[in-house]
């Protein structure tokens, strides 16, 4: 939405509930409002892993021990998952280019 606003693709509109939305979650010119936040989480099977051995952040999922053990939803159906997938892929590509990354992405 931010890019669309910058490109002049959105018209200002101030909804009746605008005052309820934190300033970090809407455009100052009323061109867009975030209506919900989607958490990006790593879930794991607590019957297979304990909290200390589960991955603690997205970058850790790039480690070889997680190869073939990651399940994600279809990134085309979810903008958030698409962003997470792109971020992981980009991080892996940077690590590969530096000779320090996983060879499996």
């Amino acid at each position: 939405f931010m890019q669309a606003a910058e490109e002049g693709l959105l018209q200002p509109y101030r909804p009746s509930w605008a005052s309820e939305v934190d300033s970090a979650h809407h455009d100052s010119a009323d061109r867009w409002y975030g209506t919900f936040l989607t958490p990006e989480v790593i879930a794991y099977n607590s019957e297979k892993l304990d909290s200390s051995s589960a991955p603690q952040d997205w970058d850790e999922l790039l480690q070889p021990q997680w190869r073939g053990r990651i399940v994600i939803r279809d990134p085309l159906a979810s903008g958030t998952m698409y962003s997470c997938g792109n971020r992981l892929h980009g991080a892996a590509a940077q690590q590969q280019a530096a000779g320090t990354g996983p060879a499996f992405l």
Side-chain angles (χ1 to χ4, degrees):
F1 292 112
M2 290 180 265
Q3 182 176 347
E6 289 173 13
E7 293 176 9
L9 301 174
L10 304 176
Q11 293 292 316
Y13 171 76
R14 186 168 181 78
S16 60
W17 41 265
S19 64
E20 302 299 319
V21 180
D22 185 277
S23 62
H25 305 300
H26 70 83
D27 178 59
S28 61
D30 294 322
R31 295 172 293 185
W32 60 266
Y33 282 80
T35 55
F36 63 92
L37 297 175
T38 303
E40 299 170 358
V41 299
I42 299 172
Y44 63 92
N45 183 340
S46 60
E47 294 177 10
K48 301 286 184 181
L49 297 172
D50 61 32
S51 61
S52 64
S53 60
Q56 302 299 306
D57 61 40
W58 292 98
D59 288 339
E60 196 172 328
L61 294 175
L62 297 173
Q63 300 302 315
Q65 70 262 30
W66 303 113
R67 183 179 186 175
R69 299 176 69 191
I70 300 170
V71 177
I72 64 169
R73 71 172 287 172
D74 179 5
L76 298 178
S78 166
T80 301
M81 194 63 247
Y82 184 80
S83 295
C84 291
N86 272 346
R87 190 240 175 264
L88 277 174
H89 192 269
Q94 287 178 338
Q95 289 177 9
Q96 285 177 341
T100 61
F104 59 88
L105 288 180

